[in-house]
Amino acid sequence: MRMRPGALCPHGRVGAAASVAPERMRHTAPGPARPALGPRPLPGFRSELLPGPGDCADEPCDAFVVEETEKGFQCRMEVPSPLYKYIIGKKGETKKRLETETRTSISIPKPGVEGEIVITGQHRSGVISARTRIDVLLDSFRKKQPFTHFLSFALNQPAIQEKFLQFKEEVLEKCSKQTQMCRPRRAVTSVSSRTSCWVLASRLPRCQDHGVSSSLFQNPSKLHLTLGTLVLLNEQEIQKACELLQRCKEDFVDQIAGGKPLTVEVAGVEYMNDDPAMTDVLYAKVHMKDGSDRLQLIADQLVERFVASGLMLKEWDRVKLHATVMNTLFRKDPSAEERNNTMTGKSSFKERESFNGRNILKLFENFYFGEVQLDSVRLSQRFSSDASGYYATSGQLTFS
C-alpha cells in the first residue's frame, strides 16, 4: 500500500486581554502550561475534546485571562468576523442558548467588523464555561473551512518548467493517444454458406490508459512543494503567520540551511493512493542533492512550530516532500488545490474521475525534472497569481 502524503493546516487564536486597571484582579482559567513556541492558539483551535459546560473549574482549556470587574467577571477574545455567525446561530438561537446556560452576556461586533468578543457574567465559572464552549464551537466550524493559505517552496524555475512540459508531452504521446496494432487472422463462419473461411481482422486501436488527458496536469508556473495548509480568516491571522515565519528563521532555519539556498533535485514520479490503476494524484519526488536530510528537517520543524502556535493542524508525523504534477481535481478547476491528505469543504472524492497511472509509472519512474535552488519558504495565498504566474505571497522566510 502506498502512503498518502504527510503533513498539513489551520487555526485559532486566543486574543490578548484588554488592559486592566491595577486595582482589578486578573484571573487565569485553569489549564496546562503551553510550551513557549510562538503565539497562543487562535480561538476555535483545540487539540482535545472538552467536558460539558458544567465542569467549568476543571476544564483542561488553554490559558486565557478572566478579569474581575466592578460588576463581576469578563473575558475578551479575538475572533475573525467570518466566524461570528457560528456563535450567533440561526435567528440568534446559539448565542441565546449559551448566555442562558452559562448565565453570561456575550457581546459580538457587527458582521464584517473585526473586533473583540466580550463575555461578561457575575460568576467566574460561568464566564469560563461560555469561553470554553465558544472555543469548542469555533473549532468545529474552523475545521470545515477550506484552507486559504499554505506554506510552500516554489519549484517553477524555467528549467524545471521546461522539463515538466517535456514530461507532459511525452505522457500524452505515450499514454493517452490511441495507436494501432495488428491483429492475427481469425476464422469466421459465413452465415449464408455455413462454411468457414480465414479473413484478416481489422486493425483496432489499442486501449488507452483510462482517464489520461491534458486537463490533469499542473500549471507549470505553479509547480511547488507544499509543507502545510492554513485557514487564515483575517489580516491579523495572516500577520501572525508571517511573524511566526520570521521567528522560525531565527530559531532554527538559519542554523540548518547555513544561510545559503538548498540545492534539491526533482526526480521520479509516484502516486498517492493504493491502486495505480485508480490514481488521483501523481507527484514528483524531491530530495536534497547532497543526500542530507536538511530539507526534511526544515519542513518538519516548520510544521511542528505552526501546529504548536495553533495556526495549523497536526495530521501526520512528518512532511511528505513532493510536487504534484497530475491531479484529478484539475479536470474541473485548473486552479484547484487540496490538502495533502484530505478534502475539505464541499468537495468530495466522489466527484473525482481517477486515471490509470500504471504505464506512466513504468515509463517515467525515474524521469528527471531537474535541479533547483530553494532560497525561501512562502506563505502562499490559495486561488491567486503574481506577476510570474506563481501564487501571490503574503509573507516569506528567506535563507540568506
Side-chain angles (χ1 to χ4, degrees):
M1 177 182 293
R2 303 285 179 177
M3 296 296 294
R4 288 184 181 273
L8 299 256
C9 178
H11 320 316
R13 157 181 173 185
V14 173
S19 59
V20 184
E23 64 273 13
R24 294 179 182 174
M25 296 178 61
R26 296 167 69 94
H27 294 260
T28 301
R34 295 183 56 80
L37 295 175
R40 293 176 178 175
L42 310 174
F45 179 83
R46 306 181 69 80
S47 60
E48 50 187 310
L49 185 63
L50 299 175
D55 303 326
C56 304
D58 297 317
E59 288 171 339
C61 56
D62 296 308
F64 52 80
V65 176
V66 176
E67 306 166 6
E68 184 173 4
T69 67
E70 295 176 356
K71 297 181 179 181
F73 299 86
Q74 72 174 15
C75 178
R76 298 173 178 269
M77 59 188 300
E78 294 180 11
V79 175
S81 58
L83 297 180
Y84 293 168
K85 60 184 178 181
Y86 301 118
I87 303 173
I88 297 170
K90 186 177 181 180
K91 297 182 179 180
E93 292 177 357
T94 302
K95 178 174 177 288
K96 292 176 183 176
R97 185 175 68 252
L98 283 169
E99 291 176 323
T100 300
E101 294 179 357
T102 62
R103 296 181 181 180
T104 59
S105 176
I106 302 172
S107 175
I108 302 175
K110 294 180 180 180
V113 177
E114 298 295 338
E116 291 182 321
I117 289 178
V118 182
I119 307 167
T120 58
Q122 293 184 350
H123 302 284
R124 178 174 175 272
S125 60
V127 173
I128 294 174
S129 179
R131 169 58 189 264
T132 300
R133 293 179 66 178
I134 289 175
D135 275 339
V136 174
L137 181 68
L138 295 182
D139 179 42
S140 173
F141 286 105
R142 264 192 180 273
K143 290 177 179 178
K144 297 177 183 178
Q145 301 293 316
F147 72 90
T148 60
H149 295 73
F150 57 99
L151 297 181
S152 73
F153 284 106
L155 299 176
N156 64 341
Q157 288 76 359
I160 299 292
Q161 288 195 47
E162 184 177 348
K163 291 293 290 185
F164 169 77
L165 291 173
Q166 177 188 334
F167 168 79
K168 177 180 178 179
E169 180 180 355
E170 292 183 10
V171 167
L172 292 176
E173 178 182 353
K174 298 177 181 179
C175 303
S176 177
K177 293 181 180 179
Q178 293 185 352
T179 57
Q180 302 288 328
M181 64 180 295
C182 293
R183 296 286 297 275
R185 292 175 180 268
R186 60 184 175 88
V188 298
T189 302
S190 170
V191 175
S192 58
S193 63
R194 298 291 181 182
T195 59
S196 297
C197 62
W198 288 92
V199 299
L200 181 65
S202 61
R203 295 166 66 87
L204 300 175
R206 182 180 63 194
C207 292
Q208 64 177 356
D209 289 344
H210 170 73
V212 176
S213 67
S214 60
S215 63
L216 292 172
F217 291 84
Q218 173 68 281
N219 178 341
S221 297
K222 294 187 179 297
L223 288 167
H224 66 279
L225 188 163
T226 298
L227 304 184
T229 57
L230 309 95
V231 176
L232 305 177
L233 299 177
N234 58 20
E235 289 300 320
Q236 289 81 359
E237 293 189 354
I238 294 173
Q239 182 61 32
K240 201 174 180 67
C242 292
E243 292 171 357
L244 181 55
L245 267 180
Q246 296 310 310
R247 285 197 295 273
C248 290
K249 171 181 170 65
E250 299 169 3
D251 291 348
F252 61 87
V253 172
D254 281 346
Q255 181 179 358
I256 297 174
K260 299 178 181 179
L262 301 180
T263 302
V264 304
E265 291 183 319
V266 185
V269 294
E270 192 54 271
Y271 62 104
M272 289 292 187
N273 52 302
D274 300 331
D275 184 0
M278 297 291 289
T279 299
D280 284 318
V281 177
L282 194 75
Y283 63 89
K285 293 180 282 187
V286 182
H287 61 270
M288 287 290 298
K289 185 177 181 180
D290 62 9
S292 72
D293 62 351
R294 288 187 296 157
L295 178 60
Q296 187 72 56
L297 282 174
I298 290 175
D300 289 342
Q301 290 190 35
L302 278 171
V303 169
E304 181 180 351
R305 186 66 65 89
F306 270 76
V307 168
S309 75
L311 290 167
M312 188 178 290
L313 285 176
K314 181 177 179 62
E315 300 187 36
W316 302 94
D317 292 334
R318 63 198 313 240
V319 176
K320 188 174 184 65
L321 302 176
H322 74 285
T324 298
V325 293
M326 299 174 70
N327 191 330
T328 53
L329 287 179
F330 297 152
R331 290 191 196 278
K332 294 184 178 181
D333 182 4
S335 66
E337 289 294 330
E338 69 170 326
R339 298 181 188 271
N340 282 7
N341 54 323
T342 58
M343 294 295 298
T344 58
K346 297 180 180 179
S347 299
S348 167
F349 280 110
K350 294 180 180 179
E351 299 174 0
R352 306 176 75 157
E353 179 190 348
S354 299
F355 65 94
N356 186 346
R358 285 176 174 171
N359 284 333
I360 299 175
L361 291 164
K362 290 179 181 179
L363 297 172
F364 301 93
E365 179 181 6
N366 299 310
F367 187 89
Y368 188 72
F369 291 91
E371 177 182 308
V372 62
Q373 302 286 317
L374 301 182
D375 59 2
S376 66
V377 178
R378 307 190 189 193
L379 178 62
S380 299
Q381 183 179 336
R382 192 183 186 192
F383 302 132
S384 67
S385 296
D386 61 15
S388 72
Y390 193 68
Y391 301 94
T393 300
S394 298
Q396 63 180 333
L397 174 166
T398 58
F399 290 169
S400 55

